[in-house]
Amino acid sequence: MFRRWWFLKVAAAVPVSPAAPPTRREERARRALLLGEWEALRERLRETAAERVTAAGAVFRAAELELGGEESAARLAYQWALEAYEAAGRLLDQAGDADTDLPDLAAAIVLAEQAVERLGAAHLLHAGQRPAPLLVRCYWNPLHGPAETPPAPGRGSKARRRPHLSPREAAAERRPACRSCRAAILAGQTPDVLPALLPAKAAPGGRRGPVLVPYFAVPRQWSPWSTTACGAYDPGTPALVLRGGHRRPGPR
C-alpha cells in the first residue's frame, strides 16, 4: 500500500535550490502536495478500516458465545475480543477528526482483525482445545501479513552455535518483519513502512512541517502507536482506546 517510502518522494517533489532556503511559494507547494497525498491515503485507510470493522461485526453476530461460570479462560478471551471490536469501532468513529492520523486507522484495522482472531480462540477454549497465540505482525507496517519466522537451527553441537549473521541479516532479525519487508531489508532496500504525519512544530532539523515520517519515529509522548506497532504488540490496547488514552496531545 505504501510502496517504499513514497512520502519521501512527495516531500522532495518540489525543487528547491540547495544554496537558498525554500521560498514561501515553494513551501506552500510542498505542503499542499504532501497533505493532498496524506489525505488521499487516509481516506483509503478509512475505507479499509470500515470494511474490517463491519466484517468483524458480522462474525461476532454469527458466532456469539454463551459461557458457563467455570470457563474462565474462554471468558477472558471472549471479553478481550469484544473490547477489541468495540475499540476498533471507536477508532473508526473518530476517523473524521482533524487529529486522526494513519496509525490511528491502522490500529482500528489491527484491533478488528485481532478481535476476530481472539473470538476464534474463545470458541476453541470453549470446545476444550488449545488455541494458537495471536499472530505476530510486521513491525515495519502492521497492515502487512504476519511476521516471517526465521528458520530454526538444526540439531547437533554445530547447529547450537550462534550463527554468524551479515549486517543485513542482523537488521532483518532485529524486528518482526513480513516476507516482503524482510526481503527488502536483506536486499539493502527500505521496507514498505507505515507513515505518520509529524506536526509542524515537531519537524526535525529546523524543517518547516508538517512532514511524513515512519510511524515508529513519532515520539512516544505524542503517539501510543509508535512503540506497539499500532497496538499489535500490546494486549492492553483495547482498554487504552476505550478509556480515551490513545488521544495524546501533540505539538501544534
Side-chain angles (χ1 to χ4, degrees):
M1 180 179 287
F2 303 99
R3 294 295 149 230
R4 307 268 181 257
W5 283 30
W6 58 268
F7 50 91
L8 292 183
K9 297 179 182 178
V10 169
V14 179
V16 176
S17 171
T23 65
R24 290 185 178 180
R25 182 176 181 179
E26 290 171 336
E27 195 61 47
R28 285 196 301 268
R30 183 199 67 83
R31 177 187 173 94
L33 183 60
L34 184 147
L35 289 179
E37 292 286 346
W38 175 78
E39 285 285 4
L41 185 51
R42 190 170 74 152
E43 179 58 23
R44 287 172 56 194
L45 272 186
R46 188 199 65 77
E47 292 174 356
T48 301
E51 292 172 0
R52 302 296 167 81
V53 172
T54 300
V59 172
F60 271 86
R61 287 190 295 273
E64 289 187 54
L65 195 57
E66 294 186 7
L67 299 170
E70 71 283 357
E71 297 183 81
S72 58
R75 185 175 298 281
L76 284 173
Y78 190 50
Q79 183 64 34
W80 192 95
L82 289 171
E83 290 181 357
Y85 170 61
E86 184 181 353
R90 184 80 57 88
L91 290 170
L92 181 61
D93 290 342
Q94 297 167 349
D97 295 355
D99 59 346
T100 293
D101 198 1
L102 305 179
D104 296 293
L105 296 169
I109 296 170
V110 167
L111 285 172
E113 293 179 349
Q114 285 191 329
V116 173
E117 206 177 336
R118 192 65 68 90
L119 176 63
H123 276 272
L124 287 175
L125 289 166
H126 178 58
Q129 302 177 45
R130 177 178 294 181
L134 287 173
L135 293 176
V136 177
R137 291 178 173 261
C138 178
Y139 168 81
W140 305 102
N141 189 332
L143 301 181
H144 288 173
E148 189 176 66
T149 304
R155 297 181 179 181
S157 58
K158 291 184 179 180
R160 287 195 296 269
R161 295 174 186 170
R162 184 175 181 86
H164 175 72
L165 299 178
S166 69
R168 290 183 183 178
E169 289 172 332
E173 300 294 332
R174 194 168 295 126
R175 304 288 188 189
C178 67
R179 179 172 298 180
S180 62
C181 284
R182 179 178 171 81
I185 295 171
L186 290 174
Q189 301 171 350
T190 302
D192 190 16
V193 177
L194 173 71
L197 191 68
L198 199 61
K201 292 182 180 179
R207 294 175 60 187
R208 294 182 182 179
V211 294
L212 283 168
V213 298
Y215 82 94
F216 48 78
V218 179
R220 185 176 178 181
Q221 66 268 28
W222 301 334
S223 171
W225 313 126
S226 59
T227 58
T228 65
C230 297
Y233 300 166
D234 185 1
T237 297
L240 175 78
V241 173
L242 293 179
R243 68 172 181 267
H246 64 293
R247 290 291 195 180
R248 297 186 181 180
R252 290 292 183 266

